[in-house]
Amino acid sequence: MPELTWSGKEQFTDKENKFFKNIPMRLLDFDSTCGEKNSGNLIVQGDNLEVLKSLLPFYRGQVKCIYIDPPYNTGAAFENYNDNFPHSDWLNMMYPRLKLLKEFLSDDGAIFISIDDNEQAYLKVICDDIFDRNNFITSFAWQSRQSLQNDTDLSINHEYIVAYAKKRRQQNRRLKPSNAEFWHNIKEFAFYPLPIDETKFSNPDNDPRGAWKADPFDAPNIRPNLTYPIKNPNTGEEFLPPQGRCWRVMQEKFFELLNDNRIIFGKTGKTKPQLKVFLSEQLQLGSVPNSWFSAEKYGTATAGTKQLQKIFGDKNIFDTVKPIELLINLFQISTDKDAIILDAFAGSGTTAHAVLNLNAEDGGRRKFILIEEKDYCKTITAERVRRVGGSFDFYKLGAEIFDKTGVINPAVKFEQLANLVWFNATKTPYLEQKKSALLGVHDGTAIYLLYNGILKDKSLRGGNMLTEKIFKSLPQFDGEKIIYAKACRVDEEFLQENKITFRPIPKELRK
């Protein structure tokens, strides 16, 4: 398979994963001057690479939808962000961030990336490498402007949204009654069906099955068993599928549909065959989204700017703003009502605005995570969310959890280290948030952490290390155990007898 190489790629692909191990794991410091506690939504100010590394223990595998609007590398001078990278620098910026973002996606999740022609081809290749080419969905075309740009040889009126699934669904992909139940109980990634436009249905022939519409009877590709002549019974004229296409069903099935009054020949009865599709069926199945996002339906870049100006009083405070309708559409087709949606290039906060509006529209409980490094994270990103009625916890990237010698930072609290320990042991987020040496049980194995005076019995000296006396004081569990502590003062025989795997900190956590 062809491979894209560039100066610097080798640092991300070494077998020891040194680059990613060397990204510091940092504390997230709550900022009480902006936002609130326990809102369920999160805005974090800081370099998105380090923020992603620090959030991973909390949200790995939990995010249903990721949307990012990274720099397009157009060479333009924008006030709010750098959009002029040497090509290899742009790739070196994007590649590790996409690698980390993949870790956040749930198995039925998807990522959407806005881009234009400057880097679209290269983005596609590195995403094929990271997400697997088989998980590529499409490059949506978005009509980002309607007016013509007359000072160039060609007016570019579109951008792309490159879409990948974590694990793309390969079966039952078509909307048909035989998989209607599957479609509405999706366990693997798929775009969710959209509401039906009932105005397109009518019942001119008083069919007892109710309102219907006429759909084309031909389908893409050429298949010999789906290529046969169909005679219009009203005129005697024979029709073959259009060039490069075939009929939707085999000939035997066609006659069944014809006898069932499911085939019509246009309004006059004199044209090629069409299929009756009943509203009652479509209400069950929904409508599939398509890959063309028109300006009329989903807005333009100008519309996005005007939406932001309306919020901030006609001030032009941010360049290249996406319209909320565009993102609402993405979230509507890719998330359920309880999804977590992540944006690592949050900019003006359009993602959060779209989440809030979609929740208001369909009664959803979706939550958002926004990451933005620049100073306007408070004055624009968070302020926009506040002004449109959203609540959020606001954090800043804090001190490194480990100092330069590898020792745990004294400022790290037990609860903060517990998240990292649980993630190290299970590769899942720590949801219980217990303040106990026994953090919980995962797949039949108990996870313990001895750290920072967690033991209530103060007579137990050396509470950060594993001794026989300390072990006997711990909450008991009969099965396999993993115990994280600073040191181990019991022998191997004791560990085996008590089904203990000892993992030293901080060494184990820095791997």
Side-chain angles (χ1 to χ4, degrees), residues 120-343:
Q120 187 271 343
Y122 295 99
L123 175 67
K124 171 69 168 62
V125 175
I126 62 174
C127 284
D128 280 350
D129 183 38
I130 294 169
F131 295 98
D132 192 301
R133 185 170 182 171
N134 291 327
N135 290 320
F136 174 65
I137 301 167
T138 191
S139 289
F140 292 98
W142 168 49
Q143 187 182 4
S144 57
R145 62 183 298 162
Q146 289 180 301
S147 61
L148 293 179
Q149 185 178 357
N150 292 316
D151 59 348
T152 65
D153 55 355
L154 179 69
S155 180
I156 306 297
N157 282 42
H158 71 282
E159 296 178 9
Y160 304 100
I161 300 174
V162 178
Y164 281 79
K166 178 70 173 291
K167 292 183 178 180
R168 190 175 184 190
R169 193 166 48 88
Q170 298 299 319
Q171 296 179 342
N172 297 320
R173 294 172 60 188
R174 296 185 65 184
L175 290 180
K176 52 186 178 182
S178 62
N179 65 31
E181 183 177 353
F182 174 89
W183 184 255
H184 286 279
N185 295 279
I186 297 169
K187 300 301 181 185
E188 299 177 64
F189 174 78
F191 285 138
Y192 291 98
L194 296 172
I196 295 296
D197 182 359
E198 297 187 27
T199 63
K200 295 183 177 181
F201 293 80
S202 62
N203 195 0
D205 61 350
N206 295 316
D207 193 305
R209 291 166 289 191
W212 54 270
K213 69 172 183 174
D215 268 9
F217 192 65
D218 53 88
N221 302 319
I222 299 174
R223 292 174 59 183
N225 63 337
L226 298 179
T227 303
Y228 49 86
I230 291 179
K231 181 181 289 188
N232 185 325
N234 303 314
T235 65
E237 183 179 1
E238 285 193 344
F239 293 92
L240 286 170
Q243 187 174 0
R245 297 176 69 84
C246 59
W247 298 129
R248 293 170 68 149
V249 299
M250 289 190 290
Q251 193 169 25
E252 182 181 355
K253 180 65 176 178
F254 163 76
F255 285 117
E256 289 181 17
L257 293 170
L258 182 66
N259 292 331
D260 193 31
N261 190 27
R262 295 294 298 262
I263 301 295
I264 62 170
F265 293 87
K267 292 181 179 180
T268 64
K270 297 179 180 179
T271 59
K272 65 182 180 180
Q274 293 176 292
L275 177 67
K276 269 188 177 182
V277 177
F278 289 96
L279 175 60
S280 57
E281 296 170 340
Q282 286 295 290
L283 288 174
Q284 273 192 316
L285 299 171
S287 173
V288 295
N290 68 73
S291 61
W292 167 245
F293 292 165
S294 66
E296 290 83 3
K297 191 171 183 179
Y298 301 117
T300 62
T302 300
T305 299
K306 288 181 178 179
Q307 289 167 352
L308 191 63
Q309 288 174 341
K310 185 176 180 181
I311 295 168
F312 285 93
D314 292 327
K315 298 176 183 177
N316 188 16
I317 60 174
F318 207 91
D319 301 301
T320 64
V321 183
K322 296 296 184 291
I324 59 172
E325 293 83 2
L326 179 67
L327 301 196
I328 286 173
N329 178 52
L330 292 177
F331 304 153
Q332 188 178 45
I333 66 177
S334 65
T335 70
D336 54 33
K337 293 183 179 181
D338 293 298
I340 298 174
I341 297 169
L342 168 63
D343 185 346

Side-chain angles (χ1 to χ4, degrees), residues 87-101:
H87 180 63
S88 60
D89 287 356
W90 187 88
L91 291 167
N92 287 330
M93 182 271 293
M94 290 297 297
Y95 194 91
R97 287 160 175 80
L98 290 169
K99 286 275 283 188
L100 283 181
L101 285 168

Side-chain angles (χ1 to χ4, degrees), residues 435-437 450-465 467-475:
K435 194 170 183 180
S436 163
L450 302 176
Y451 174 73
N452 205 14
I454 188 61
L455 300 179
K456 295 180 180 180
D457 187 349
K458 302 304 178 185
S459 67
L460 294 171
R461 295 185 177 182
N464 289 350
M465 63 180 66
T467 66
E468 287 192 34
K469 187 175 182 181
I470 287 175
F471 174 73
K472 291 177 182 178
S473 75
L474 297 177

